[in-house]
Amino acid sequence: MYAQKLRVAIVMDGERRPCPLDWLDSFCMRNFTGQAEFDDTLPLAEGLLEAGFRVQPQRLAEAMSASFTKRGKGEGRLVQVEIHPA
């Protein structure tokens, strides 16, 4: 089921760093996002997750960015998310 290993980075004010594990955990919980397309995600460590093939990295990055920004993870700043194969 978890066929892709992905690196997840957040970018705020031009500074790039691995996405914190607690942010990944929060997002990937189905009852938190309500989006079934992300059911096949499993956070492993800071900036690292595994996902099934039906998970599209670009769509996941867009959804994470919107969610993190909306929930105030960037403390009022836009949170951009970049996802690349690990």
Side-chain angles (χ1 to χ4, degrees):
M1 179 160 93
Y2 299 109
Q4 303 180 77
K5 288 192 185 217
L6 303 171
R7 294 234 176 256
V8 183
I10 58 170
V11 181
M12 292 187 298
D13 298 331
E15 181 183 334
R16 179 178 286 106
R17 64 185 173 104
C19 185
L21 180 57
D22 62 323
W23 293 21
L24 291 173
D25 281 337
S26 294
F27 183 85
C28 293
M29 291 172 33
R30 170 105 163 87
N31 61 354
F32 182 79
T33 66
Q35 298 177 3
E37 67 185 295
F38 304 128
D39 281 351
D40 295 342
T41 56
L42 178 67
L44 298 175
E46 183 173 284
L48 185 64
L49 64 83
E50 288 185 343
F53 275 125
R54 72 182 187 142
V55 175
Q56 298 174 8
Q58 180 60 37
R59 169 72 183 118
L60 181 60
E62 292 167 0
M64 284 182 161
S65 179
S67 178
F68 295 159
T69 299
K70 180 180 177 181
R71 299 205 184 312
K73 299 290 188 185
E75 299 175 352
R77 298 174 288 169
L78 174 66
V79 178
Q80 294 178 304
V81 176
E82 297 178 349
I83 299 179
H84 302 283

